[in-house]
Amino acid sequence: MVQKVIEPRLNPSPMVVTLTAPNPPILKDPTLTSTWSHRAWVASGCTAVLISLAKAIAGAAESNTWLELILAGLLGYILADLASGVYHWGIDNYGSASTPLFGTQIEAFQDHHKRPWRVTRIQFANILHVLARGVTLTVLPIDLACNDPTIHGFVAVCSGCIMFSLKFHAWAHTPKSQLPLPVVALQDAGLVVSGSKHAAHHLPPYDKNYCMVSGVWNEFLDKQRAFEALEKMLFFTLGVRPRSWSDHPSSSCMDQRDSDPLM
């Protein structure tokens, strides 16, 4: 009797990228679940954002500065996308798991390049708690010190979008059939980043489409090679090489679903 040997499948081209895994198995992995600490930070971050938003609306109603409020919110939304891209670029390319403050995020994003669909299995508070902590510590002092509705309009929208950017990112890796209809509508309208907009980031060397709120900045930043310019500046001044200079397509040719022991 001839024994059948199953060889690992290779993608026919390194340009083939698997962002999602339809109907993935449920894993009993504690690193994917939320803790009460995670939930507390997300609750405090959301509270800080809602206080800022309430102050913005109340102040605009009292002073009739709705136009200023709307423009400030729009500016906050646009800059949040840019900030998410800069943050994503930084943790993708520099530091390690031992880096203070950002080490866990750096390690998680490097693993994400190997198993991109895993982000869809991380529970809500688990995926948001790091940014929620930053929002809490930044926005609460502003809530206490400021009553200007225009400032709060900017702060509420910008900080809220930044805090939820990792969830927008997770939605971009989730099949549309598994997303709530309002989320699909937001993606189709271009208001939050979609899988089609984000897919180019998962082509080695992972140096494009970093922005994770709406992705509106991605085309401009990539065409202007803005992050490449920053990388060269850091290299020539500090001698630090970004990871994107070392990642090659050959390192990611194997179909991720075959190489992932959890699938």
Side-chain angles (χ1 to χ4, degrees):
M1 181 177 180
V2 179
Q3 185 177 4
K4 184 177 179 181
V5 178
I6 300 175
E7 297 290 346
R9 286 187 293 113
L10 296 183
N11 283 339
S13 166
M15 297 298 286
V16 176
V17 178
T18 304
L19 291 184
T20 60
N23 302 316
I26 298 175
L27 303 178
K28 295 181 180 180
D29 184 345
T31 65
L32 304 177
T33 60
S34 299
T35 66
W36 284 109
S37 175
H38 297 161
R39 296 184 184 101
W41 278 117
V42 172
S44 64
C46 289
T47 299
V49 171
L50 289 174
I51 290 173
S52 187
L53 182 62
K55 282 195 166 189
I57 294 173
E62 184 177 347
S63 59
N64 197 29
T65 54
W66 292 107
L67 178 60
E68 291 88 339
L69 175 62
I70 292 170
L71 291 175
L74 180 60
L75 179 62
Y77 169 71
I78 293 172
L79 290 183
D81 189 55
L82 177 61
S84 74
V86 173
Y87 178 79
H88 188 182
W89 163 76
I91 63 176
D92 260 12
N93 286 285
Y94 300 99
S96 66
S98 60
T99 300
L101 297 179
F102 302 102
T104 55
Q105 287 278 288
I106 293 168
E107 185 178 32
F109 269 73
Q110 291 309 301
D111 178 73
H112 175 64
H113 289 160
K114 301 173 185 175
R115 300 180 290 177
W117 54 83
R118 191 174 184 269
V119 71
T120 65
R121 307 175 193 170
I122 304 176
Q123 292 184 352
F124 181 78
N126 189 330
I127 201 170
L128 294 185
H129 76 279
V130 173
L131 293 179
R133 185 184 312 168
V135 166
T136 300
L137 299 176
T138 304
V139 176
L140 272 182
I142 298 174
D143 290 343
L144 296 173
C146 177
N147 292 310
D148 188 303
T150 304
I151 292 176
H152 278 294
F154 172 84
V155 169
V157 175
C158 186
S159 62
C161 286
I162 288 173
M163 183 169 67
F164 280 88
S165 62
L166 290 178
K167 189 61 182 177
F168 300 159
H169 173 224
W171 286 338
H173 285 274
T174 304
K176 282 191 172 183
S177 61
Q178 298 176 19
L179 290 172
L181 289 178
V183 173
V184 175
L186 289 172
Q187 289 183 342
D188 290 344
L191 296 177
V192 298
V193 68
S194 64
S196 59
K197 282 186 176 180
H198 182 62
H201 177 69
H202 284 271
L203 297 174
Y206 315 107
D207 61 350
K208 297 179 178 64
N209 288 33
Y210 286 108
C211 299
M212 300 184 297
V213 175
S214 65
V216 69
W217 281 94
N218 282 328
E219 184 177 359
F220 172 80
L221 292 172
D222 292 342
K223 279 187 175 181
Q224 300 303 316
R225 303 173 80 171
F227 290 119
E228 183 179 339
L230 286 173
E231 289 164 1
K232 289 180 178 178
M233 182 181 69
L234 290 174
F235 177 72
F236 287 117
T237 57
L238 302 176
V240 180
R241 294 175 62 90
R243 268 184 286 272
S244 62
W245 291 7
S246 302
D247 287 334
H248 301 288
S250 60
S251 65
S252 298
C253 286
M254 183 173 290
D255 189 309
Q256 303 277 9
R257 285 173 293 185
D258 290 326
S259 62
D260 185 355
L262 297 179
M263 290 302 296

